[in-house]
Amino acid sequence: MERFADRQQAGRMLAERLAEHPLTEPVVLGLPRGGVPVAAEIAQALAAPLDVLVVRKLGFPGHEEFAMGAVGEGGARVLDQRVAAGVSRRDLDRIEAKEAAEVEQRVARFREGRPAVDLRGRTAVIVDDGVATGATARAACAIARARDAAAIVLAVPVAAPDSLAGLADAADEIVCLHAPAGFMAVGMHYVDFRQIEDAEVVRLLHGQ
């Protein structure tokens, strides 16, 4: 099983692969928290702006791991009407309000008052440290689309093959270094998979 030394090495390797692709005015968006150290390496290599993409999926009542949509900063909202069809308006409003509040708290924590990088007319390079179910990645792509990104590239070091295939319609392009048949968990593909703290996300966003 191939393993990355840490998220930084994974980011450098992804950056090499992304450099082979023509990207129009890229903005690198890390999914907090684990995706940000990977994204920071890519942003530096591409000389592109680094930002976070704060997304919260809307979990189906009683089966919260099953996403029926997502909310993001700036009031961005995507909803899978087929999945949400059986959910009452009251429950939907309650779940959405809870997750939207969490989005705003995280935005305030990570950005410290700075505005989000405008995605209009630019290529959004969405980065995470790996894809397991694909729900968060799908939500992130949808939110970037809602923010008028001209193109969306999903870039991850490792992913479950089935989940990766299921994301084909979410992004304009997917760049993944490894999609092993025996995928079990993202952390198993890193030697160092320590938890990333909020302070490190803030430090990386400041370019330190």
Side-chain angles (χ1 to χ4, degrees):
M1 180 176 69
E2 295 192 53
R3 300 174 79 195
F4 302 102
D6 52 25
R7 292 178 177 89
Q8 286 76 15
Q9 184 197 43
R12 290 191 292 272
M13 292 174 68
L14 260 180
E16 290 178 8
R17 183 74 64 85
L18 284 163
E20 302 168 3
H21 299 251
L23 303 173
T24 303
E25 293 191 71
V27 178
V28 182
L29 303 168
L31 299 187
R33 294 188 285 268
V36 177
V38 184
E41 296 290 337
I42 295 171
Q44 181 176 18
L46 299 182
L50 171 67
D51 202 356
V52 286
L53 182 56
V54 182
V55 173
R56 295 288 292 180
K57 65 183 178 183
L58 303 174
F60 193 88
H63 300 277
E64 281 70 24
E65 73 287 349
F66 187 53
M68 57 181 175
V71 290
E73 57 194 288
R77 172 183 182 268
V78 292
L79 192 66
D80 187 327
Q81 297 291 350
R82 295 167 301 173
V83 178
V87 180
S88 71
R89 170 52 62 183
R90 180 179 177 181
D91 281 347
L92 185 58
D93 288 347
R94 174 182 55 79
I95 294 167
E96 187 173 333
K98 175 177 177 291
E99 298 303 343
E102 181 63 26
V103 165
E104 294 308 314
Q105 288 176 13
R106 291 188 177 207
V107 166
R109 193 181 312 147
F110 296 141
R111 284 229 182 80
E112 298 184 323
R114 296 187 306 277
V117 176
D118 192 346
L119 301 184
R120 287 176 293 182
R122 307 186 71 160
T123 299
V125 182
I126 297 173
V127 181
D128 206 351
D129 52 14
V131 167
T133 67
T136 302
R138 174 172 290 279
C141 290
I143 294 297
R145 192 85 67 187
R147 289 175 56 192
D148 295 325
I152 294 173
V153 176
L154 176 64
V156 292
V158 64
D162 290 348
S163 297
L164 199 64
L167 289 167
D169 64 336
D172 298 299
E173 187 174 354
I174 297 176
V175 177
C176 178
L177 300 178
H178 302 304
F183 180 93
M184 293 180 66
V186 171
M188 292 181 66
H189 296 275
Y190 289 84
V191 175
D192 176 3
F193 196 65
R194 62 188 175 81
Q195 182 172 316
I196 304 300
E197 302 296 335
D198 289 351
E200 182 169 354
V201 172
V202 172
R203 178 179 63 79
L204 289 169
L205 290 175
H206 278 290
Q208 299 173 345

